């Protein structure tokens, strides 16, 4: 079997986004998730995911942020999901005069066609929420 000996680069840059406003403590990828990236017809390469708190209350709660790969089928079936990363997000105090924290998490892998990256936050306080932005490209 011949191996591909030519480097492959993404054809089309891709930025996609979603938001999370509801908590989900499931460790199997089920429940309420935010789909932040979907693999294109020929697959995709995902560089990173950026998370930004947009709390309108005094302080958002500290929480665990989780990233799952889903095989393109329902995330309600745990066998369709795998947890690939989890990170602790610190509490963020809302401000109109100072910037709030944001986090960038490296992904750096290929995502097959129709596979998706789903994200969850374990704790969401009051009117807090998180904006998610995925950076990558489609082959």
């Amino acid at each position: 079997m011949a191996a591909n000996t030519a480097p492959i680069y993404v054809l089309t840059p891709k930025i996609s986004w979603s938001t999370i406003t509801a908590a989900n403590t499931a460790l199997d990828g089920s429940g309420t998730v935010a789909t932040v990236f979907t693999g294109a017809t020929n697959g995709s390469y995902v560089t990173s995911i950026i998370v930004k708190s947009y709390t309108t209350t005094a302080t958002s709660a500290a929480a665990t942020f989780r990233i799952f790969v889903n095989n393109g089928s329902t995330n309600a079936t745990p066998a369709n999901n795998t947890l690939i990363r989890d990170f602790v997000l610190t509490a963020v105090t809302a401000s109109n005069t100072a910037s709030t924290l944001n986090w960038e998490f490296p992904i750096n892998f290929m995502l097959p066609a129709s596979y998706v990256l789903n994200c969850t936050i374990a704790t969401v306080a009051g009117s807090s929420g998180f904006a998610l932005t995925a950076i990558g490209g489609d082959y």
Side-chain angles (χ1 to χ4, degrees):
M1 175 186 301
N4 184 0
T5 58
I8 299 172
Y9 302 99
V10 295
L11 180 64
T12 307
K14 182 175 181 177
I15 299 174
S16 57
W17 54 87
S18 187
T19 59
I20 295 177
T21 56
N24 179 349
T25 58
L27 297 174
D28 60 9
S30 63
T32 301
V33 298
T35 299
V36 70
F37 201 97
T38 302
T41 302
N42 294 315
S44 300
Y45 188 84
V46 185
T47 306
S48 63
I49 295 177
I50 300 166
V51 180
K52 179 76 174 170
S53 172
Y54 63 83
T55 182
T56 57
T57 59
T59 303
S60 68
T64 302
F65 172 67
R66 296 185 176 100
I67 305 170
F68 298 87
V69 172
N70 171 276
N71 65 8
S73 300
T74 177
N75 75 297
T77 303
N80 294 336
N81 313 304
T82 185
L83 175 63
I84 60 164
R85 306 263 199 290
D86 59 351
F87 304 93
V88 174
L89 305 181
T90 59
V92 175
T93 301
S95 175
N96 287 322
T97 59
S99 64
T100 57
L101 289 174
N102 61 281
W103 301 268
E104 184 169 358
F105 302 109
I107 303 298
N108 294 320
F109 66 78
M110 294 169 279
L111 194 62
S114 76
Y115 276 48
V116 298
L117 290 181
N118 288 330
C119 300
T120 64
I121 299 281
T123 306
V124 178
S127 58
S128 298
F130 296 86
L132 312 174
T133 305
I135 310 295
D138 294 336
Y139 294 113

